[in-house]
Amino acid sequence: MNAPTDPKLLTNPLLDTWTSPHCLPPFTDVKAEHFAPAFAVALKSHRDELDAIAANPAAATFENTLAAFDKSGRLHMRIDQLFYNLAASETSPALQAVEREMAAPLAAHTNVIYMHAGLFSRVDALFSQRDALGLTSEQMRLLERVHLDFVRAGAKLSAGAQARYGKIMEQLAELTTQFSQNVLADEATTHLLLKDESDLAGLPESVRASAKQAAVERGLDGYVITISRSLIVPFLTFSDNRALRERAYKAWTGRGEGINAGTEKFNNAPIIASIMALRLEQANLHGYASYTDYALTDTMAGKHAAVFDLLMKVWVPAKEKAALECEALQAMALSRDEKIEIAPWDWRYYAEKVRQARYDLDDALVKPYFSLDRMVEAAFDCAQRLFGLRFVYQPELKAYHPDVKIYEVQNADGSLLGVFLHDNFSRSTKRGGAWMSSYRQQSRIDGDVKPIIVNNNNFAKGAEGKPTLLSFDDARTLFHEFGHGLHGLLSSVNYERLSGTSVLRDFVELPSQLFEHWLSEPEVLKQHARHVDTGEPIPDALMARLKEARKFNQGFETVEYTSSALVDLALHSQTAMATLDIAQFEKQELAKIGMPPQILMRHRLPHFGHLFSGSSYASQYYVYLWAEVLDADGFEAFVEAGNAFDSATAQRLRKFIYSSGNTMEPTEAYRAFRGRAPTVTPMLKKKGLLPA
Ligand SMILES: [Zn+2]
C-alpha cells in the first residue's frame, strides 16, 4: 500500500498499523470522519492488488491467482468489518451519514472485484482445468467457490449487462441501508410513556425496572416501553391494560410502515417495491425466472420445491396446534370473566396465564435462576467441556462501549484460539435483535490470523447496582449467538473465503441452534442456573416444568415463523413485479395459506430486516427451520451416546461442523459428523408437532 499523502490522512488510526493487543481495532481513537478517507485509500490499494494479480505475466497458477486473491484486500476488510460492526452496535448520526455516503461506492467496489475481466479470465482458466491441477480438497473447494462467486456476481455477463448489473447492486445497497435506518429511527423514536399505576397494572418488578431504566436513558419521568423486542414482548405478556396492549402492539408491528412517526418518513413500502423490482432484474440477468430460483441455486435445499415441502410439513400441524392453543386462551379469558375474542395483542397475555396455570412458571420465580453473569459462565463452561476452551476476561482491553467485555479464548493447551467480544445490553445506538459478527476472520494463508468475534444481544439491563436477569428464552438467545461465535472462533482453515461462518446460508444456523440444546441439559442447569441471591441450584420440580413448558405455545411460534418464511418465498418467487403493493401482497398471501387471525407474521414485510436490510436472507428465511432439522437430528447423536458431552461425538462435531468452515460440502460435512443423512422426525417431535 502506498503511504497516504493527504495530511488529513497522516493521523487516520484506521490506516495506521493496529498495535493494540491482538491487533484489536483502534476503538477509542476512531471517529466517523476517519472512515470515508480510509475507505478511499483501502479500496484503491485493493484495486492495485487485484490489477497486479491480473497483470502477472506468468500463467495462472493456484498460488499466483487463487491464494493471492484470498490474501488481497485485507486492509479494506478490516476497515469494512469495523465500520459495519460499529454501525450496528454503536451508531451515531455521523456514522449513519457515512453509511449512506459509502453504500454505493462500496457496492461499486464489489463490482470492481467480481467484474474484473483480467482476474476472472485467470480464475476461469484454472477452473476449466481444475482436475489436472493436483489441488488439495480445500484448494479445490476454494477454486470452485471463488469461481461461483464471480459467476453469481455477473462476471460472465456481457459488458452492457455488467454495467447495468453494477448499477443494480449500488441501488440495492443504498435502498437496503435506507430500509434499516428507517426501522432503527422508528424504534428509536417510538415508545409508550406510562405514568399512572393503572398503566403499570400486571407488570412484574423486572419489567418495571427495565421500563424505568429506559425512561431515565431518555431523560423522562415515569416508565417507558420501547418497541424493542426485549421490552415490548414482556409488556404484551404481562400488561393487564388491554387498550395499552393494543396500542403497543400496533406500534410494534407497524414499524417501518410510517404510522408511528405519523408521517411517510419511515415508510418502507416504496423502498421494498424498488428492492424487489431490482432483485427480479438481477435474477433475470443471470437467466433465472425469479429471485428465488437464483438465490436457492447456492443452498443445500437447492430448489423451491424442497423448501416449500419442508415448510408445508410444518405449517399444517402447526396451525392445528395453534388452533388448540387458541381454544385454551379463550377458555382462560372466559374463566376470568373477560368476555373478549382473542386478538393478536391478547395472545401473549393469556398464553402466559395458561402457562402459569399449567406449569406454575412465574417469570419472577424463574428469572432469578438465570442471571446474565451465570448464563455467560454456563455457555463458557459448555464450550470448555465440549471443546476444551477457556474464556479469560481482559478488563484492561477497551472496546467501543463500556458495557462490552473482551475475552481471550484459549485452547486446552493454553494456546490462543481467538478473541471474543460480548456486547449484551440493549441501547438506543444499537440495532434490535441478536447477532454474531466478526472483526477479523480466521485464516492461515497470510500468517496465522486469529479470529476476533463479537456476540450482540439486546437484553434489558438491570437497574443500577442490580444484576441483569434473563428469561429462559433470553438465555437461549445467548446460547444461540454463542454457538455462532464458536463457529467463528473454532474455524481452522487456510483460506479466508472458506473461514468460519462463510458457509451456505441454510447450514449457518446449525452450529448456533445446536448449541441451544446444552442450555436445557439438566446437568448444565443444575450447575449454573443458581438463584441470584441465595446461590441455590434450580429446584428439580422447576427444571422439570421448564422442560415440559418448552413445547408450550409452539403452535403459535411455528405459525409466526413459518408464515414469515412462506410469505418470503412467495414474494421472491414472483416472475413479474410491475404492480407490487406490499401491504396488499402480504394480506393476500396470508389469506392464501389460511393464516389464523389471532397471529401475525413474526416479521411483517415493512420491518423484515432479514429480507431487506441486505440480501443474504432474501428468499432464505426458511434456513432456520432447515437448520432445525439438522440440529434436532444432530443433538440426538449425543443422546444416543448417552452423554451430552461425549468426547468422541464432540470431537467429530468440532472437526466437521464447527471448524471446517466452507472447506466441505455441507451435506458431506453433516454426514461425516453424524454417520448418516439427517431425518425430519426429531425436529417435529422437538416442537411437539408429533408425539414424542
Ligand atoms: Zn442465528
Side-chain angles (χ1 to χ4, degrees), residues 480-481 484 509 512 624:
H480 178 100
E481 297 310 329
H484 283 307
E509 294 300 329
S512 51
Y624 296 93

Side-chain angles (χ1 to χ4, degrees), residues 520-538:
S520 303
E521 274 306 296
E523 60 175 300
V524 174
L525 288 172
K526 267 297 181 211
Q527 190 181 344
H528 296 286
R530 287 173 180 270
H531 196 280
V532 67
D533 298 325
T534 65
E536 286 295 307
I538 187 168

Side-chain angles (χ1 to χ4, degrees), residues 76-306:
H76 167 213
M77 197 60 181
R78 75 175 198 185
I79 298 171
D80 202 68
Q81 286 174 307
L82 175 59
F83 179 65
Y84 283 108
N85 274 304
L86 290 181
S89 301
E90 183 64 0
T91 192
S92 65
L95 211 54
Q96 291 193 335
V98 182
E99 222 183 335
R100 288 190 297 273
E101 183 194 337
M102 289 309 301
L106 288 173
H109 183 70
T110 304
N111 287 321
V112 165
I113 302 172
Y114 290 105
M115 290 180 187
H116 196 300
L119 192 54
F120 180 63
S121 77
R122 291 174 80 91
V123 173
D124 205 29
L126 289 169
F127 183 74
S128 63
Q129 40 168 319
R130 61 191 178 284
D131 292 329
L133 298 174
L135 301 178
T136 66
S137 65
E138 187 180 346
Q139 289 171 334
M140 181 64 92
R141 183 84 180 154
L142 181 70
L143 175 54
E144 287 169 355
R145 296 310 305 169
V146 169
H147 187 263
L148 190 63
D149 290 343
F150 272 91
V151 171
R152 288 179 69 78
K156 286 195 156 174
L157 299 177
S158 70
Q162 277 193 348
R164 176 63 196 147
Y165 199 83
K167 272 276 156 281
I168 293 174
M169 292 297 111
E170 285 173 41
Q171 284 174 17
L172 279 174
E174 287 174 342
L175 288 163
T176 51
T177 303
Q178 191 58 52
F179 175 93
S180 312
Q181 293 193 355
N182 280 350
V183 176
L184 189 66
D186 207 341
E187 287 179 355
T189 51
T190 306
H191 60 250
L192 209 61
L193 182 61
L194 310 178
K195 290 201 153 140
D196 303 335
E197 192 52 34
S198 68
D199 292 347
L200 302 174
L203 300 184
E205 197 40 56
S206 62
V207 180
R208 289 177 189 225
S210 303
K212 185 82 221 163
Q213 179 74 17
V216 170
E217 278 169 18
R218 283 162 184 76
L220 295 168
D221 287 336
Y223 298 82
V224 159
I225 302 299
T226 66
I227 53 172
S228 99
R229 192 173 275 272
S230 66
L231 207 43
I232 193 94
V233 168
F235 180 78
L236 292 169
T237 305
F238 295 110
S239 172
D240 290 334
N241 189 324
R242 191 175 193 227
L244 278 183
R245 284 204 310 267
E246 180 175 354
R247 248 177 73 200
Y249 188 83
K250 285 181 171 167
W252 180 45
T253 56
R255 63 204 194 283
E257 270 188 317
I259 53 168
N260 290 324
T263 69
E264 278 296 290
K265 221 166 94 191
F266 303 142
N267 184 1
N268 273 332
I271 295 175
I272 295 171
S274 304
I275 290 175
M276 292 307 302
L278 289 166
R279 280 185 184 155
L280 180 60
E281 196 184 342
Q282 180 191 1
N284 291 163
L285 279 170
H286 282 294
Y288 295 96
S290 74
Y291 189 83
T292 292
D293 289 348
Y294 166 67
L296 293 186
T297 308
D298 192 27
T299 59
M300 271 178 96
K303 293 247 179 304
H304 177 283

Side-chain angles (χ1 to χ4, degrees), residues 434-436 480-481 484 508-513 516 610 617 624:
W435 67 97
M436 166 274 195
H480 178 100
E481 297 310 329
H484 283 307
V508 78
E509 294 300 329
L510 170 60
S512 51
Q513 292 182 178
E516 292 175 30
H610 291 82
Y617 281 89
Y624 296 93

